[in-house]
Amino acid sequence: MNRIKLLMVACLLGMAATASAQFANSKGSSSQGGDMSGWQGLRVSYHPMSLSPDKGDNIGITGFSAGYVKGFGLSQSTPIFLEVGANLLWTSKDLTEDEDTDYSEKLNMFSVNIPVNFGYKYTVNDKFSIYPYIGLNFRVNVVGKVKTEDEGESKSTDVFNKDDMKKNGMGEVWKRFQAGWQIGVAFNLNKFTLAASYGKDFTEISKKVKVSMPSITLGLNF
């Protein structure tokens, strides 16, 4: 929860900086003009994710992603942009409740994220800009397996297969498609980007369970 609060504060600070700059410009300050040029780049992200059930405590999941983004200018006079992309997300979680036994249980999942964001780029100078954004994220869960080992015997359960989940007593089947909202801010220095964001799904990954996804992102634009 503290990490989520820090991410939200970073987003708000970025938006406050943009609003302050717009106000200063309207008063005739000497700040730089907007940069209308688009961009494309590579991104790698760390995601301290969680499964958020309607009742009960959140379950933390570690995620990492890598992918590509492209930003398109939407106006010739105002630096507002549409940014779209795609990235491969890997998530992992050790589900073992008692580490003192021979039994272990671990989740590994691979997904494809397709973010669609709208943002405003405030150009501080020719090297530094701030880009707060808000948008949607669509996710297709391609592979999801829970591997269990018990006294030397191992088995793998497909979390998207109803029969497999029922046979191995793993509860509700998971859903392959998810959609959610996200908000964030990126700080661009020359060709490098550092961004923080937070998002949560509209749709459930399992019955009455949604995914929350904070992100810390590093990128290279070209």
Side-chain angles (χ1 to χ4, degrees), residues 107-214:
L107 167 70
N108 281 289
M109 184 164 66
F110 291 91
S111 310
V112 176
N113 279 332
I114 302 174
V116 180
N117 297 313
F118 294 91
Y120 178 96
K121 183 166 68 171
Y122 170 63
T123 302
V124 179
N125 54 46
D126 59 354
K127 294 183 178 180
F128 182 66
S129 64
I130 303 171
Y131 179 69
Y133 59 88
I134 189 170
L136 300 173
N137 186 62
F138 304 96
R139 185 180 308 113
V140 180
N141 299 314
V142 181
V143 177
K145 301 284 187 179
V146 174
K147 183 179 180 180
T148 58
E149 293 189 4
D150 188 8
E151 296 181 349
E153 296 184 2
S154 63
K155 63 180 179 180
S156 180
T157 302
D158 184 348
V159 297
F160 304 113
N161 185 296
K162 184 177 180 179
D163 293 336
D164 213 18
M165 291 286 280
K166 184 177 180 180
K167 179 180 69 175
N168 294 322
M170 300 293 291
E172 296 287 338
V173 66
W174 289 24
K175 299 177 182 178
R176 290 192 179 274
F177 178 77
Q178 294 169 266
W181 61 268
Q182 58 194 8
I183 185 172
V185 60
F187 301 93
N188 305 304
L189 180 62
N190 292 327
K191 294 183 178 181
F192 299 98
T193 294
L194 173 64
S197 68
Y198 176 76
K200 189 170 183 177
D201 288 342
F202 300 124
T203 57
E204 298 176 342
I205 190 171
S206 185
K207 187 175 181 180
K208 296 184 178 181
V209 178
K210 296 181 179 180
V211 175
S212 300
M213 194 164 85

Side-chain angles (χ1 to χ4, degrees), residues 21-41:
Q22 289 176 312
F23 179 78
N25 285 338
S26 69
K27 293 298 183 180
S29 75
S30 59
S31 73
Q32 300 290 327
D35 180 4
M36 312 302 168
S37 59
W39 64 87
Q40 58 182 331

